[in-house]
């Protein structure tokens, strides 16, 4: 079975204003030796399909085997080559103003090597990206479609990468899921921290650490955001419902505190939100 040919989309100035855009893609690629003294100009994701390679970044060397990937940032010197005969990889080259911000959400700020959770799922997404890049559409529309699939691929990569045996972002959220589900069921009641910690079998102190590390916010801040969001539904669905009753239904003891918190989070009062029909 022949290998798919690499594709390098032609992009317009408009395409390059997309948050992320595809510059090249190759699947089932027999990797040749690469040495980049000045690094790569854009971003590159390389995922091992079969064989073994050696990746060198600075003085550190890594063995790259199936189920592993390399995320290369612009301008960082590196080299890689096969060490077991044929080394087959999938790769994409991409860029965009949103790329760095996307990686920063999980603390990725430079070139790294990762072990992958469910690499076959990422391989399937890369096949979808190749199909989008090869689709017989008008060029600009094709590049918009590629950007959408690429963004989905990158967010899946961020959920599935692990460094040195640490949990992936996806695994961290899965671990928190019982507590998140508890919040969804009980947002209208008092929610003690101890109850949330008990849902995943840890101490309240460790729960706070894990929750902040995973979501970027403290547990009670998340609870309050859920309550405010639920109150938006009541504001719009039941126009005659007063603010005190809405505050009570979503778990706030004080309507004044609810109003102040709503304005802090949404930059409008609950009443103004209702009057606007929820439009910004």
């Amino acid at each position: 079975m022949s290998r798919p040919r690499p594709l390098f989309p032609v992009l317009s100035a408009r395409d390059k204003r997309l948050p992320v855009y595809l510059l090249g893609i190759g699947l089932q690629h027999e990797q040749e030796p690469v040495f980049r003294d000045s690094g790569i100009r854009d971003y590159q994701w390389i995922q091992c399909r079969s064989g073994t390679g050696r990746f060198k970044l600075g003085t550190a060397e890594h063995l790259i085997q199936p189920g592993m990937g390399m995320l290369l940032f612009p301008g960082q010197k590196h080299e890689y080559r096969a060490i077991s005969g044929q080394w087959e990889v999938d790769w994409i080259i991409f860029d965009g103003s949103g790329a760095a911000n996307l990686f920063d959400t999980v603390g990725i700020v430079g070139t790294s090597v990762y072990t992958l959770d469910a690499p076959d799922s990422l391989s399937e997404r890369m096949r979808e990206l190749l199909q989008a890049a090869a689709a017989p559409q008008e060029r600009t529309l094709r590049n918009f479609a590629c950007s959408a699939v690429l963004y989905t691929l990158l967010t899946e990569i961020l959920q599935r990468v692990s460094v040195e045996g640490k949990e992936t972002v996806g695994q961290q959220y899965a671990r928190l899921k019982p507590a998140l589900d508890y919040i969804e069921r009980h947002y209208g009641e008092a929610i003690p921290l101890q109850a949330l910690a008990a849902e995943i079998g840890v101490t309240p102190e460790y729960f706070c650490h894990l929750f902040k590390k995973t979501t970027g916010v403290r547990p009670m801040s998340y609870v309050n955001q859920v309550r405010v969001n639920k109150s938006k539904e009541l504001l719009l669905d039941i126009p005659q419902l007063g603010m005190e009753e809405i505050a009570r239904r979503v778990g706030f003891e004080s309507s004044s505190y609810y109003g102040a918190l709503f304005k802090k989070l949404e930059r409008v009062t609950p009443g103004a939100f209702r009057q606007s029909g929820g439009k910004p």
Side-chain angles (χ1 to χ4, degrees):
M1 182 176 172
S2 62
R3 290 186 173 89
R5 295 180 60 186
L7 288 177
F8 299 91
V10 177
L11 294 103
S12 68
R14 175 182 291 178
D15 297 331
K16 292 183 179 181
R17 292 201 294 270
L18 291 165
V20 290
Y21 51 84
L22 182 68
L23 292 167
I25 179 169
L27 303 187
Q28 298 172 242
H29 178 74
E30 187 174 346
Q31 184 63 60
E32 67 281 357
V34 170
F35 175 80
R36 297 187 178 112
D37 191 45
S38 300
I40 192 170
R41 186 173 60 182
D42 308 292
Y43 294 90
Q44 186 172 17
W45 170 254
I46 305 171
Q47 185 170 326
C48 179
R49 294 178 67 95
S50 63
T52 305
R54 187 182 303 278
F55 176 72
K56 185 175 181 180
L57 177 67
T59 58
E61 292 191 1
H62 306 267
L63 288 181
I64 311 298
Q65 299 172 315
M68 299 181 68
M70 303 176 287
L71 179 61
L72 311 182
F73 271 52
Q76 297 187 339
K77 177 181 177 180
H78 60 266
E79 59 183 282
Y80 50 90
R81 65 179 64 245
I83 61 172
S84 63
Q86 181 176 314
W87 183 31
E88 192 174 74
V89 303
D90 297 334
W91 57 265
I92 56 172
I93 300 173
F94 60 96
D95 207 343
S97 59
N101 289 337
L102 187 61
F103 297 135
D104 190 53
T105 62
V106 294
I108 296 176
V109 295
T111 297
S112 301
V113 171
Y114 298 101
T115 300
L116 304 174
D117 172 38
D120 290 346
S121 176
L122 298 180
S123 296
E124 179 59 33
R125 190 69 69 185
M126 292 181 78
R127 283 191 288 271
E128 292 178 19
L129 183 55
L130 180 64
Q131 291 171 359
Q137 302 175 17
E138 192 275 330
R139 177 172 53 82
T140 301
L141 294 179
R142 182 168 59 229
N143 289 334
F144 273 65
C146 285
S147 178
V149 180
L150 173 60
Y151 187 87
T152 301
L153 169 63
L154 294 177
T155 56
E156 287 195 17
I157 289 172
L158 297 186
Q159 294 174 59
R160 299 183 184 280
V161 296
S162 171
V163 181
E164 297 177 351
K166 295 180 181 178
E167 289 183 321
T168 68
V169 171
Q171 289 167 336
Q172 290 172 2
Y173 271 100
R175 190 176 181 192
L176 283 180
K177 188 177 186 303
L180 298 175
D181 290 345
Y182 182 95
I183 293 169
E184 284 292 318
R185 295 193 306 270
H186 298 281
Y187 65 85
E189 311 165 13
I191 299 181
L193 189 60
Q194 291 84 348
L196 295 177
E199 286 294 309
I200 65 171
V202 298
T203 66
E205 293 77 14
Y206 184 74
F207 179 81
C208 288
H209 167 76
L210 179 62
F211 198 97
K212 178 69 181 296
K213 177 183 176 182
T214 302
T215 68
V217 297
R218 293 183 175 88
M220 290 304 111
S221 295
Y222 179 86
V223 170
N224 284 336
Q225 183 65 73
V226 169
R227 287 170 169 164
V228 166
N229 286 357
K230 296 296 183 180
S231 79
K232 291 180 183 179
E233 299 172 11
L234 296 175
L235 286 165
L236 300 180
D237 292 346
I238 314 178
Q240 68 275 19
L241 203 61
M243 297 302 166
E244 286 190 9
E245 179 62 14
I246 289 176
R248 185 190 66 79
R249 289 194 186 188
V250 298
F252 290 110
E253 295 182 357
S254 162
S255 60
S256 59
Y257 176 70
Y258 160 64
L261 183 64
F262 191 105
K263 186 174 183 181
K264 177 182 178 181
L265 295 177
E266 305 299 327
R267 298 191 296 276
V268 295
T269 65
F273 177 86
R274 171 179 272 171
Q275 289 177 353
S276 71
K279 301 180 179 66

